[in-house]
Amino acid sequence: MTALEPRSHASTTGSGAVRTGGFRSVVHDYVALTKPRIIELLLVTTFPVMFLAERGFPPAWLVAATLVGGTLSASSANTLNCYLDRDIDKVMHRTSNRPLVTGAITPRAALVFGIVLGALSVVWLGLLVNWLSAALSLGAIVLYVGFYTMLLKRRTSQNIVWGGVAGCMPVLIGWSAVTNKVEWPAVVLFLVVFFWTPPHYWPLSMRFKEDYAAAHVPMLPVVAKDLAVARQVVLYTWATVAASLALVPVASMGWLYLVVAVVSGALFLVEAHRLLSRARASADAKALRAMRLFHYSISYLTLLFLGVAIDPLLHLSL
């Protein structure tokens, strides 16, 4: 799972030497390594699931501990991703100002920072939440860093499909934090995020496919025509909406969630089909307006999981 990140303000001199900055500048650079916008999306799926698992308000300390642990875990994975992809980031215009590219942070420092964050996340969740959540957190880091970044990203156009499993893990972490187990409602929500990831990420890849092509990263929009990508986006969007509706019988959801899922899902489908229509009508990348779907996909996920959180609190039985 990803989001369009603000570009770092770190910079270098013409000779490549790093411009020195104060403490705030250093903190800013390390925070940039963690990709805060992506972490926001991950927490959007963690927090609401805890309300559904509890069927009410979970203890505040448990929510806080889980969110802190999840933030540390995601920060670790994102930092290690930046470390491994620094050669790609240097080529791509969208990522060319990241701290490892500009030299604001050294590769060794980033590697140590990422490993320490990962270790802290596991210990934190294990001691303050439970060891199942800690294990799932570690699994998420391994999947994102090892499975997606190292194995899939540079080798297959389906990288984001299977690599996206890492972005689904916060759902399981949130559920297990409350119940100390993984149950069917959590699995259904896992599938929602899994199917949602391609129609979220591929429009972004369509917008920046020249960047990915220059970096020799075989994202689907790089190796396939826009029309073929748009068809895949539509299929995955239908699968996302179907999975969201499957939660109704599995978790005994009420009218509030059902209305949110139907309305937001219908809009998601409309935007996906509009992208397909534009892909049929034009070969011009600008005319595709792919980022329209990218931005709505974030709103969709936020609205859906807001419904997940509120439905148990204001439950209106079907």
Coordinates of all heavy atoms in Angstrom, one line a residue, residues 28-115:
H28 N 13.7 15.9 10.3 CA 12.8 15.9 9.1 C 13.3 14.8 8.1 O 12.5 14.1 7.5 CB 12.9 17.3 8.5 CG 12.1 17.3 7.2 ND1 12.7 17.0 6.0 CD2 10.9 17.7 6.9 CE1 11.8 17.2 5.0 NE2 10.7 17.6 5.5
D29 N 14.6 14.7 7.9 CA 15.1 13.7 7.0 C 14.8 12.3 7.4 O 14.5 11.4 6.6 CB 16.6 13.9 6.8 CG 17.0 15.2 6.0 OD1 16.1 15.6 5.2 OD2 18.0 15.8 6.3
Y30 N 15.0 12.0 8.7 CA 14.7 10.6 9.2 C 13.3 10.3 9.1 O 12.9 9.2 8.8 CB 15.3 10.5 10.6 CG 16.7 10.1 10.7 CD1 17.7 11.0 10.9 CD2 17.1 8.7 10.5 CE1 19.1 10.7 10.9 CE2 18.4 8.4 10.5 CZ 19.4 9.3 10.7 OH 20.8 9.0 10.7
V31 N 12.4 11.3 9.4 CA 11.0 11.1 9.3 C 10.6 10.9 7.8 O 9.8 10.0 7.6 CB 10.2 12.3 9.9 CG1 8.7 12.2 9.5 CG2 10.4 12.4 11.4
A32 N 11.2 11.6 6.9 CA 11.0 11.4 5.5 C 11.3 9.9 5.1 O 10.6 9.4 4.2 CB 11.8 12.4 4.7
L33 N 12.3 9.3 5.6 CA 12.6 8.0 5.3 C 11.5 7.0 5.6 O 11.3 6.0 5.0 CB 13.9 7.5 6.1 CG 15.3 7.8 5.6 CD1 16.3 7.3 6.5 CD2 15.4 7.3 4.2
T34 N 10.7 7.3 6.7 CA 9.6 6.4 7.1 C 8.4 6.5 6.3 O 7.4 5.7 6.4 CB 9.3 6.7 8.6 OG1 8.6 8.0 8.7 CG2 10.5 6.7 9.5
K35 N 8.3 7.5 5.3 CA 7.1 7.7 4.5 C 5.9 7.9 5.3 O 5.0 7.0 5.3 CB 7.0 6.6 3.5 CG 8.2 6.3 2.6 CD 8.0 5.1 1.7 CE 9.3 4.8 0.9 NZ 9.1 3.6 0.0
P36 N 5.7 9.0 6.0 CA 4.6 9.2 6.9 C 3.2 9.1 6.2 O 2.2 8.6 6.8 CB 4.8 10.6 7.4 CG 6.2 10.9 7.2 CD 6.7 10.1 6.0
R37 N 3.1 9.5 4.9 CA 1.8 9.4 4.3 C 1.3 8.0 4.1 O 0.1 7.7 4.2 CB 1.9 10.1 2.9 CG 2.1 11.6 2.9 CD 0.9 12.3 3.4 NE -0.3 12.1 2.6 CZ -0.5 12.8 1.4 NH1 0.3 13.8 1.1 NH2 -1.6 12.6 0.7
I38 N 2.3 7.1 3.9 CA 1.9 5.7 3.8 C 1.5 5.1 5.1 O 0.5 4.3 5.2 CB 3.1 4.8 3.2 CG1 3.4 5.3 1.8 CG2 2.8 3.3 3.3 CD1 4.6 4.6 1.1
I39 N 2.2 5.5 6.2 CA 1.9 5.1 7.5 C 0.4 5.5 7.9 O -0.3 4.8 8.5 CB 2.9 5.6 8.5 CG1 4.3 5.0 8.3 CG2 2.4 5.3 10.0 CD1 5.4 5.6 9.1
E40 N 0.0 6.7 7.5 CA -1.3 7.2 7.8 C -2.3 6.2 7.2 O -3.3 5.9 7.9 CB -1.5 8.6 7.1 CG -0.8 9.7 7.8 CD -0.9 11.0 7.1 OE1 -1.8 11.1 6.2 OE2 -0.2 11.9 7.3
L41 N -2.1 5.7 6.0 CA -3.0 4.8 5.4 C -3.1 3.5 6.1 O -4.1 2.9 6.3 CB -2.7 4.6 3.9 CG -3.3 5.5 2.8 CD1 -2.8 5.1 1.5 CD2 -4.8 5.4 2.9
L42 N -1.9 3.0 6.5 CA -1.9 1.8 7.3 C -2.6 1.9 8.6 O -3.3 0.9 9.0 CB -0.4 1.4 7.5 CG 0.4 1.1 6.3 CD1 1.9 0.8 6.6 CD2 -0.2 -0.1 5.5
L43 N -2.5 3.0 9.3 CA -3.2 3.2 10.6 C -4.7 3.3 10.3 O -5.5 2.9 11.2 CB -2.6 4.4 11.3 CG -1.2 4.3 11.7 CD1 -0.7 5.5 12.5 CD2 -0.9 3.0 12.5
V44 N -5.1 3.8 9.2 CA -6.5 3.9 8.9 C -7.2 2.6 8.8 O -8.4 2.4 9.1 CB -6.7 4.6 7.5 CG1 -8.1 4.3 6.9 CG2 -6.5 6.1 7.7
T45 N -6.4 1.5 8.5 CA -7.0 0.2 8.5 C -6.8 -0.6 9.8 O -7.5 -1.6 10.1 CB -6.4 -0.7 7.4 OG1 -5.0 -0.8 7.6 CG2 -6.6 0.0 6.0
T46 N -5.9 -0.1 10.7 CA -5.6 -0.8 12.0 C -6.7 -0.3 13.0 O -7.3 -1.2 13.7 CB -4.2 -0.4 12.5 OG1 -3.3 -0.7 11.5 CG2 -3.9 -1.2 13.7
F47 N -6.8 0.9 13.2 CA -7.6 1.5 14.2 C -9.1 1.1 14.2 O -9.6 0.6 15.2 CB -7.5 3.1 14.1 CG -8.3 3.8 15.2 CD1 -7.8 3.8 16.5 CD2 -9.4 4.5 14.8 CE1 -8.5 4.6 17.4 CE2 -10.1 5.3 15.8 CZ -9.7 5.3 17.1
P48 N -9.8 1.2 13.0 CA -11.2 0.8 13.0 C -11.4 -0.7 13.3 O -12.5 -1.1 13.9 CB -11.6 1.1 11.6 CG -10.6 2.2 11.1 CD -9.4 1.7 11.8
V49 N -10.5 -1.5 12.8 CA -10.7 -3.0 13.0 C -10.7 -3.3 14.5 O -11.4 -4.3 14.9 CB -9.6 -3.7 12.3 CG1 -9.6 -5.2 12.7 CG2 -9.7 -3.6 10.8
M50 N -10.0 -2.6 15.3 CA -10.0 -2.8 16.8 C -11.4 -2.6 17.4 O -11.9 -3.3 18.3 CB -9.0 -1.9 17.5 CG -7.6 -2.2 17.0 SD -6.3 -1.2 17.9 CE -6.3 -2.0 19.5
F51 N -12.2 -1.6 16.8 CA -13.5 -1.3 17.3 C -14.5 -2.5 16.9 O -15.3 -2.9 17.7 CB -14.1 0.0 16.7 CG -13.5 1.2 17.4 CD1 -12.2 1.6 17.2 CD2 -14.3 1.9 18.3 CE1 -11.7 2.8 17.8 CE2 -13.8 3.0 18.9 CZ -12.5 3.5 18.7
L52 N -14.3 -3.0 15.7 CA -15.1 -4.1 15.3 C -14.8 -5.4 16.1 O -15.7 -6.1 16.5 CB -14.9 -4.4 13.8 CG -15.7 -5.6 13.2 CD1 -17.2 -5.3 13.3 CD2 -15.3 -5.8 11.7
A53 N -13.5 -5.6 16.3 CA -13.1 -6.8 17.1 C -13.7 -6.7 18.6 O -14.1 -7.7 19.1 CB -11.6 -7.0 17.2
E54 N -13.7 -5.5 19.1 CA -14.2 -5.3 20.5 C -15.7 -5.2 20.5 O -16.3 -5.4 21.6 CB -13.6 -4.0 21.0 CG -13.9 -3.7 22.5 CD -13.2 -4.6 23.5 OE1 -12.1 -5.1 23.2 OE2 -13.8 -4.8 24.6
R55 N -16.3 -4.9 19.4 CA -17.8 -4.6 19.3 C -18.1 -3.5 20.2 O -19.1 -3.4 20.9 CB -18.6 -5.8 19.7 CG -18.6 -6.9 18.6 CD -19.5 -6.5 17.4 NE -19.3 -7.4 16.3 CZ -20.0 -7.2 15.1 NH1 -20.8 -6.2 15.0 NH2 -19.9 -8.0 14.1
G56 N -17.2 -2.5 20.2 CA -17.4 -1.3 21.1 C -16.1 -0.6 21.1 O -15.2 -0.7 20.3
F57 N -15.9 0.2 22.2 CA -14.7 0.9 22.4 C -13.6 0.0 23.1 O -13.7 -0.4 24.2 CB -14.9 2.1 23.4 CG -15.7 3.2 22.7 CD1 -17.1 3.3 23.0 CD2 -15.1 4.1 21.9 CE1 -17.8 4.3 22.4 CE2 -15.9 5.2 21.3 CZ -17.2 5.2 21.6
P58 N -12.5 -0.2 22.4 CA -11.4 -1.0 23.0 C -10.7 -0.1 24.0 O -10.8 1.2 23.9 CB -10.5 -1.3 21.8 CG -10.8 -0.3 20.8 CD -12.2 0.1 21.0
P59 N -10.0 -0.6 25.0 CA -9.3 0.2 25.9 C -8.3 1.2 25.3 O -7.6 0.8 24.3 CB -8.5 -0.9 26.8 CG -9.3 -2.1 26.6 CD -9.8 -2.1 25.2
A60 N -8.3 2.4 25.7 CA -7.5 3.5 25.1 C -6.0 3.1 25.1 O -5.3 3.4 24.1 CB -7.8 4.8 25.8
W61 N -5.6 2.5 26.2 CA -4.1 2.2 26.3 C -3.8 1.1 25.2 O -2.7 1.2 24.6 CB -3.8 1.7 27.7 CG -4.4 0.3 28.0 CD1 -5.5 0.0 28.7 CD2 -3.8 -1.0 27.7 NE1 -5.8 -1.3 28.7 CE2 -4.7 -2.0 28.1 CE3 -2.7 -1.4 27.0 CZ2 -4.5 -3.3 28.0 CZ3 -2.4 -2.8 26.8 CH2 -3.4 -3.7 27.3
L62 N -4.7 0.2 24.9 CA -4.5 -0.8 24.0 C -4.4 -0.2 22.5 O -3.5 -0.6 21.7 CB -5.5 -1.9 24.0 CG -5.4 -3.1 23.0 CD1 -4.1 -3.8 23.3 CD2 -6.6 -4.0 23.2
V63 N -5.3 0.7 22.3 CA -5.3 1.4 21.0 C -4.0 2.1 20.8 O -3.4 2.0 19.7 CB -6.5 2.3 20.9 CG1 -6.4 3.2 19.6 CG2 -7.8 1.6 20.9
A64 N -3.6 2.9 21.8 CA -2.4 3.7 21.7 C -1.2 2.8 21.5 O -0.3 3.0 20.7 CB -2.2 4.5 23.0
A65 N -1.1 1.7 22.3 CA 0.1 0.8 22.2 C 0.1 0.1 20.8 O 1.2 0.0 20.2 CB 0.0 -0.3 23.3
T66 N -1.0 -0.2 20.3 CA -1.1 -0.9 19.0 C -0.7 0.1 17.9 O 0.1 -0.3 17.0 CB -2.5 -1.5 18.7 OG1 -2.9 -2.4 19.8 CG2 -2.5 -2.2 17.4
L67 N -1.2 1.3 17.9 CA -0.9 2.3 16.9 C 0.6 2.7 17.0 O 1.2 2.9 15.9 CB -1.8 3.5 17.1 CG -3.3 3.3 16.8 CD1 -4.0 4.6 16.9 CD2 -3.5 2.6 15.5
V68 N 1.2 2.8 18.2 CA 2.6 3.1 18.3 C 3.4 2.0 17.7 O 4.4 2.2 16.9 CB 3.0 3.4 19.7 CG1 4.5 3.5 19.9 CG2 2.4 4.7 20.2
G69 N 3.1 0.7 18.1 CA 3.8 -0.4 17.5 C 3.7 -0.5 16.0 O 4.6 -0.8 15.3
G70 N 2.4 -0.3 15.5 CA 2.2 -0.3 14.1 C 3.0 0.7 13.3 O 3.6 0.5 12.2
T71 N 3.1 1.9 13.9 CA 3.9 3.0 13.3 C 5.4 2.6 13.3 O 6.0 2.9 12.3 CB 3.7 4.3 14.1 OG1 2.3 4.7 14.1 CG2 4.5 5.4 13.6
L72 N 5.9 2.1 14.4 CA 7.3 1.6 14.4 C 7.6 0.6 13.3 O 8.6 0.6 12.6 CB 7.7 1.1 15.8 CG 7.7 2.1 16.9 CD1 7.9 1.4 18.2 CD2 8.9 3.1 16.7
S73 N 6.6 -0.4 13.2 CA 6.8 -1.4 12.2 C 6.8 -0.9 10.8 O 7.6 -1.2 10.0 CB 5.6 -2.5 12.4 OG 5.7 -3.5 11.4
A74 N 5.8 -0.1 10.5 CA 5.7 0.5 9.1 C 6.9 1.4 8.8 O 7.4 1.4 7.7 CB 4.4 1.3 9.0
S75 N 7.3 2.1 9.8 CA 8.5 3.0 9.7 C 9.8 2.2 9.3 O 10.6 2.6 8.5 CB 8.8 3.8 10.9 OG 7.7 4.7 11.2
S76 N 9.9 1.1 10.0 CA 11.0 0.2 9.7 C 11.0 -0.3 8.3 O 12.0 -0.3 7.6 CB 11.0 -1.0 10.7 OG 11.9 -2.0 10.3
A77 N 9.8 -0.9 7.9 CA 9.7 -1.4 6.5 C 10.0 -0.3 5.5 O 10.7 -0.6 4.5 CB 8.3 -2.0 6.4
N78 N 9.4 0.9 5.7 CA 9.6 1.9 4.7 C 11.0 2.4 4.6 O 11.6 2.7 3.6 CB 8.7 3.1 5.0 CG 7.2 2.7 4.8 OD1 6.9 1.9 3.9 ND2 6.3 3.4 5.5
T79 N 11.7 2.5 5.8 CA 13.1 2.9 5.8 C 14.0 1.9 5.1 O 14.8 2.3 4.3 CB 13.6 3.1 7.3 OG1 12.8 4.1 7.9 CG2 15.0 3.5 7.3
L80 N 13.7 0.6 5.4 CA 14.5 -0.4 4.7 C 14.3 -0.5 3.2 O 15.1 -0.8 2.4 CB 14.3 -1.8 5.4 CG 14.7 -1.9 6.8 CD1 14.3 -3.2 7.4 CD2 16.3 -1.8 6.9
N81 N 13.0 -0.2 2.8 CA 12.7 0.0 1.4 C 13.5 1.1 0.8 O 14.0 0.9 -0.3 CB 11.2 0.2 1.3 CG 10.8 0.6 -0.1 OD1 10.6 1.7 -0.5 ND2 10.5 -0.4 -1.0
C82 N 13.5 2.2 1.4 CA 14.3 3.3 0.9 C 15.8 3.0 0.8 O 16.5 3.3 -0.2 CB 14.2 4.6 1.8 SG 12.6 5.4 1.7
Y83 N 16.3 2.2 1.7 CA 17.7 1.8 1.7 C 18.0 0.9 0.5 O 19.0 1.1 -0.2 CB 18.0 1.0 3.0 CG 19.4 0.3 3.0 CD1 20.6 1.0 3.1 CD2 19.4 -1.1 2.7 CE1 21.8 0.3 3.1 CE2 20.6 -1.8 2.7 CZ 21.8 -1.1 2.9 OH 23.0 -1.7 2.8
L84 N 17.1 -0.1 0.3 CA 17.3 -1.0 -0.8 C 17.0 -0.4 -2.2 O 17.6 -0.8 -3.2 CB 16.4 -2.2 -0.6 CG 16.7 -3.1 0.6 CD1 15.6 -4.1 0.8 CD2 18.1 -3.9 0.3
D85 N 16.1 0.6 -2.3 CA 15.7 1.2 -3.5 C 16.4 2.5 -3.8 O 15.9 3.3 -4.7 CB 14.2 1.4 -3.5 CG 13.4 0.1 -3.9 OD1 14.1 -0.9 -4.3 OD2 12.2 0.1 -3.8
R86 N 17.4 2.8 -3.1 CA 18.0 4.1 -3.3 C 18.6 4.4 -4.7 O 18.6 5.5 -5.2 CB 19.1 4.4 -2.3 CG 20.3 3.4 -2.3 CD 21.2 3.6 -1.1 NE 22.4 2.8 -1.1 CZ 22.5 1.5 -0.8 NH1 21.4 0.9 -0.4 NH2 23.6 0.8 -0.8
D87 N 18.9 3.3 -5.4 CA 19.4 3.4 -6.8 C 18.2 3.8 -7.7 O 18.3 4.6 -8.6 CB 20.1 2.1 -7.3 CG 19.2 0.9 -7.2 OD1 18.3 0.9 -6.3 OD2 19.3 0.0 -8.0
I88 N 17.0 3.1 -7.5 CA 15.8 3.5 -8.2 C 15.4 4.9 -7.9 O 15.0 5.6 -8.8 CB 14.7 2.5 -7.9 CG1 15.1 1.1 -8.4 CG2 13.4 2.9 -8.5 CD1 14.1 0.0 -8.0
D89 N 15.4 5.2 -6.7 CA 14.9 6.5 -6.3 C 15.7 7.7 -6.9 O 15.2 8.7 -7.2 CB 14.9 6.7 -4.7 CG 13.9 5.8 -4.0 OD1 12.9 5.4 -4.7 OD2 14.0 5.6 -2.8
K90 N 17.0 7.4 -7.1 CA 17.9 8.4 -7.8 C 17.5 8.7 -9.2 O 17.6 9.8 -9.7 CB 19.3 7.9 -7.7 CG 20.3 8.9 -8.2 CD 21.8 8.3 -8.0 CE 22.8 9.4 -8.5 NZ 24.2 8.9 -8.3
V91 N 16.9 7.7 -9.9 CA 16.6 7.8 -11.3 C 15.2 8.4 -11.4 O 14.9 9.2 -12.4 CB 16.6 6.4 -12.0 CG1 16.1 6.5 -13.4 CG2 18.0 5.8 -11.9
M92 N 14.3 8.1 -10.5 CA 12.9 8.6 -10.6 C 12.7 10.0 -10.1 O 13.1 10.3 -9.0 CB 12.0 7.6 -9.9 CG 11.9 6.2 -10.4 SD 10.9 5.1 -9.5 CE 9.3 5.9 -9.6
H93 N 12.1 10.8 -11.0 CA 11.9 12.3 -10.6 C 11.1 12.4 -9.3 O 11.4 13.2 -8.5 CB 11.3 13.0 -11.7 CG 10.9 14.4 -11.4 ND1 11.9 15.4 -11.3 CD2 9.8 15.1 -11.1 CE1 11.4 16.6 -11.0 NE2 10.0 16.4 -10.9
R94 N 10.1 11.6 -9.2 CA 9.2 11.7 -8.0 C 9.9 11.4 -6.7 O 9.5 11.9 -5.6 CB 8.0 10.7 -8.2 CG 7.0 10.7 -7.1 CD 5.8 9.8 -7.4 NE 6.1 8.4 -7.5 CZ 6.0 7.6 -6.5 NH1 5.7 8.0 -5.3 NH2 6.3 6.3 -6.6
T95 N 11.0 10.7 -6.7 CA 11.7 10.3 -5.5 C 13.1 10.8 -5.4 O 13.9 10.4 -4.5 CB 11.7 8.7 -5.4 OG1 12.3 8.2 -6.5 CG2 10.3 8.2 -5.3
S96 N 13.5 11.7 -6.3 CA 14.9 12.1 -6.4 C 15.4 12.9 -5.3 O 16.6 13.2 -5.2 CB 15.1 12.8 -7.8 OG 14.3 13.9 -7.9
N97 N 14.5 13.4 -4.5 CA 14.9 14.3 -3.4 C 14.8 13.5 -2.0 O 14.8 14.2 -1.0 CB 14.0 15.5 -3.3 CG 14.6 16.7 -4.1 OD1 15.7 16.5 -4.7 ND2 13.9 17.7 -4.3
R98 N 14.7 12.2 -2.0 CA 14.7 11.5 -0.8 C 16.0 11.6 -0.1 O 17.1 11.7 -0.8 CB 14.3 10.0 -1.0 CG 12.8 9.9 -1.3 CD 12.4 8.4 -1.5 NE 10.9 8.3 -1.7 CZ 10.3 7.2 -2.1 NH1 11.0 6.1 -2.4 NH2 9.0 7.1 -2.2
P99 N 16.1 11.5 1.2 CA 17.3 11.7 2.0 C 18.5 10.9 1.6 O 19.6 11.3 1.6 CB 16.9 11.5 3.4 CG 15.5 11.8 3.5 CD 14.9 11.3 2.1
L100 N 18.2 9.6 1.2 CA 19.4 8.7 0.8 C 19.9 9.1 -0.6 O 21.1 8.8 -0.9 CB 18.9 7.3 0.8 CG 18.8 6.6 2.2 CD1 18.2 5.2 2.1 CD2 20.2 6.5 2.8
V101 N 19.0 9.7 -1.4 CA 19.5 10.1 -2.7 C 20.3 11.4 -2.7 O 21.4 11.5 -3.3 CB 18.3 10.3 -3.7 CG1 18.8 10.8 -5.0 CG2 17.5 9.0 -3.8
T102 N 19.9 12.3 -1.9 CA 20.6 13.6 -1.7 C 21.9 13.5 -0.9 O 22.7 14.3 -0.9 CB 19.7 14.7 -1.1 OG1 19.4 14.3 0.3 CG2 18.4 14.8 -1.9
G103 N 22.0 12.4 -0.1 CA 23.1 12.2 0.8 C 22.9 12.8 2.2 O 23.8 12.9 3.0
A104 N 21.7 13.3 2.4 CA 21.4 13.9 3.7 C 21.5 12.8 4.8 O 21.8 13.1 6.0 CB 19.9 14.5 3.8
I105 N 21.2 11.6 4.5 CA 21.4 10.4 5.4 C 22.3 9.4 4.7 O 22.0 9.1 3.5 CB 20.1 9.8 5.9 CG1 19.3 10.9 6.7 CG2 20.3 8.6 6.7 CD1 17.9 10.4 7.0
T106 N 23.2 8.8 5.4 CA 24.0 7.8 4.7 C 23.3 6.4 4.7 O 22.4 6.2 5.5 CB 25.4 7.6 5.5 OG1 25.1 7.0 6.8 CG2 26.1 8.9 5.7
P107 N 23.6 5.6 3.7 CA 23.0 4.2 3.7 C 23.2 3.4 5.0 O 22.2 2.8 5.4 CB 23.7 3.6 2.5 CG 24.1 4.7 1.6 CD 24.5 5.8 2.6
R108 N 24.3 3.5 5.6 CA 24.6 2.8 6.8 C 23.7 3.3 7.9 O 23.0 2.5 8.6 CB 26.0 2.9 7.2 CG 26.3 2.2 8.6 CD 27.8 2.5 9.0 NE 28.1 1.9 10.3 CZ 28.3 0.7 10.6 NH1 28.4 -0.2 9.6 NH2 28.6 0.3 11.8
A109 N 23.5 4.6 8.0 CA 22.7 5.1 9.1 C 21.2 4.7 8.9 O 20.5 4.4 9.8 CB 22.8 6.6 9.1
A110 N 20.8 4.7 7.6 CA 19.4 4.3 7.3 C 19.2 2.9 7.6 O 18.1 2.5 8.1 CB 19.1 4.6 5.8
L111 N 20.1 2.0 7.3 CA 20.0 0.6 7.6 C 19.9 0.3 9.0 O 19.0 -0.4 9.5 CB 21.2 -0.2 7.0 CG 21.3 -1.7 7.2 CD1 20.1 -2.4 6.6 CD2 22.6 -2.3 6.7
V112 N 20.7 1.0 9.8 CA 20.7 0.8 11.3 C 19.4 1.3 11.8 O 18.7 0.7 12.7 CB 21.9 1.5 11.9 CG1 21.7 1.6 13.5 CG2 23.2 0.9 11.6
F113 N 19.0 2.5 11.4 CA 17.7 3.1 11.8 C 16.5 2.2 11.5 O 15.7 1.9 12.4 CB 17.5 4.4 11.1 CG 16.3 5.2 11.4 CD1 16.0 5.5 12.8 CD2 15.4 5.6 10.5 CE1 14.9 6.3 13.1 CE2 14.2 6.3 10.8 CZ 14.0 6.7 12.1
G114 N 16.5 1.6 10.3 CA 15.4 0.7 9.9 C 15.4 -0.6 10.8 O 14.3 -1.0 11.2
I115 N 16.5 -1.2 11.0 CA 16.6 -2.4 11.8 C 16.2 -2.1 13.3 O 15.5 -2.9 13.9 CB 18.0 -3.0 11.8 CG1 18.3 -3.5 10.4 CG2 18.2 -4.1 12.8 CD1 19.7 -4.0 10.1

